[in-house]
Every structure is written in structure tokens, then in C-alpha cells.
Amino acid sequence: MCWGWRIWGLPEQQHPGPTEWGEGRHGVGPWEGDWPEDERLDPTLLAEGDRRNVVDAYRYWKREAIVADIDTRRHPLHVAIENFENDANIGTVVRTANAFAADTVHIVGRRRWNRRGAMVTDRYQHLRHHSTVAELMAWAASEDIAVVAIDNTPGSVPLETAELPRRCVLLFGQEGPGVTPEAQEAAVMTCSIAQFGSTRSINAGVAAGIAMHAWIRQHADLRRAW
């Protein structure tokens, strides 16, 4: 079975699936027929095909055109992760933030991080570095954005029942130590994720995805999802 899909502004094409089903996992080949006149499109991709990790609506688009389009739909949700020990989960956090069209991912501590887990989505996601937690908090205060720490600590508010601020930064600690005491003290609240098994903690990248989706359920316009 085939579904028709449309690259925004271009004639409808017939391909197996609207996103990445079947052949779509490997992208699309060179454009067939006369090239469309659209300044958003990349001549090289039209000629050689587009194998990037993007939804089909963005096939053949230039990278800057994709970023510009996402910028019109980004949510007032920011994500921050502490990176004082070069946390390997940052790539996963960036990829998930891109999927949910988060405004910016803030990396606190070390500037360098392992980008493999991002699956090249960092090209389309705004990133910002802060040397210290204090620097992040000062930025959030200057933008009037609330900081919500995510960590399973005594006195935390269950994420499952918490009302998250619409304009906020979800702050995550690194694998193991979790959110630093300094960050928890400066945050407006700390939310925990309910656990029922034997493990002491959830992987930081997984926890970030759960928390971001909790925000999406409360504040996003689901009619605009792919």
C-alpha cells in the first residue's frame, strides 16, 4: 500500500509513507522531472537525492530553510542539561528537543559533548552554552523564564500531576549525580518521575524525553504536529 505525501509547496509525489516508512528510512532519490522553482530547495539535494534524517515535508530543503520554518513553530520550552563530566546523554536530549520543537537546548558546564546521539539533529536545533549554573539562572531571570529541575529527590513534585509553566527551562542533571544542589535551590520547583521498579534512577536522556512530553501534553497545539 502507498500513501501520497507532499513536500510543502510542491506537487504531490507518490512514495511509501508520509515520513520514514519502508524506503523512506533511506530518504529519497534525485528529483524526477523539471526542478521546481523554490528558493528553499537545495540544488545539490535535488540532483543527488536527500538521505537526511528529516521528515518528508522537508525533503530537498536547505538546512537554513528548515531552521527558519521550525523557528516559526518553536515552543516556549527550553531544555538545559548539566555537563560537568561530559555527559553522553546530551545527544539524545538534543534529538528529542528537536522532535518537540523546543526553543533552545542549554548546555551547562563543559562546552564539548558527544554529538553522535543527536543523529545530526543539532544542525536544526538552537544550542547555547553556559559555563555555570549561576550563568544559566541569570539568563533565565533576564528572560523571565522559570527553571524547573527534574530529579527524584525528597520534596519533589510528581511530574505526573505538576502544572508546568508555559515559558520554562526543564533542567536535567548528568547521569548518576543528578541535578546539582545549586541548581535545585535556584529552580522554582523540582519535579520527579514516578518509578515502580528496582532501579534507583532513569537514564537522563529518557527522563528528558518524558519531561518534555509532559510539557507538550499541557501546552502544545497538537493540531500542528506532523
Side-chain angles (χ1 to χ4, degrees):
M1 180 180 295
C2 289
W3 291 261
W5 62 276
R6 183 182 297 274
I7 297 177
W8 287 6
L10 303 182
E12 185 170 321
Q13 306 292 313
Q14 290 295 323
H15 284 273
T19 51
E20 296 183 355
W21 304 335
E23 183 211 356
R25 180 175 177 83
H26 306 289
V28 293
W31 182 267
E32 298 179 5
D34 296 335
W35 283 9
E37 295 184 5
D38 191 327
E39 62 181 10
R40 298 171 301 182
L41 304 183
D42 187 320
T44 300
L45 295 174
L46 288 169
E48 300 178 359
D50 187 353
R51 312 296 180 182
R52 299 172 300 173
N53 176 25
V54 298
V55 295
D56 282 342
Y58 289 143
R59 290 297 177 201
Y60 304 112
W61 283 36
K62 300 173 184 176
R63 180 171 68 177
E64 57 269 25
I66 295 175
V67 174
D69 188 72
I70 298 174
D71 282 348
T72 67
R73 301 180 292 106
R74 288 193 193 275
H75 296 119
L77 167 67
H78 294 252
V79 179
I81 185 167
E82 296 182 289
N83 186 39
F84 298 114
E85 295 180 2
N86 200 20
D87 198 309
N89 292 289
I90 293 177
T92 299
V93 174
V94 170
R95 183 181 181 185
T96 306
N98 168 267
F100 292 138
D103 187 295
T104 303
V105 174
H106 302 258
I107 299 170
V108 183
R110 295 176 183 238
R111 184 180 295 273
R112 298 186 61 183
W113 53 280
N114 187 340
R115 295 175 182 259
R116 180 175 299 179
M119 297 290 289
V120 200
T121 56
D122 54 302
R123 295 182 179 181
Y124 313 99
Q125 178 60 53
H126 296 308
L127 305 173
R128 182 165 182 159
H129 175 257
H130 304 271
S131 298
T132 63
V133 169
E135 186 177 308
L136 169 68
M137 296 301 177
W139 171 85
S142 69
E143 298 292 328
D144 193 26
I145 297 177
V147 177
V148 178
I150 307 295
D151 202 355
N152 283 19
T153 55
S156 57
V157 178
L159 179 64
E160 295 73 21
T161 59
E163 294 186 11
L164 297 173
R166 188 169 188 274
R167 284 172 47 84
C168 73
V169 179
L170 298 179
L171 172 62
F172 304 90
Q174 57 199 7
E175 193 74 24
V179 177
T180 58
E182 177 188 6
Q184 287 194 43
E185 183 177 350
V188 296
M189 66 176 171
T190 297
C191 291
S192 60
I193 297 172
Q195 297 180 201
F196 302 90
S198 63
T199 182
R200 288 176 54 85
S201 63
I202 296 175
N203 171 272
V206 173
I210 293 171
M212 280 187 259
H213 191 255
W215 187 96
I216 289 293
R217 291 189 64 184
Q218 293 182 28
H219 299 293
D221 181 354
L222 300 183
R223 295 171 299 180
R224 305 191 71 186
W226 294 119

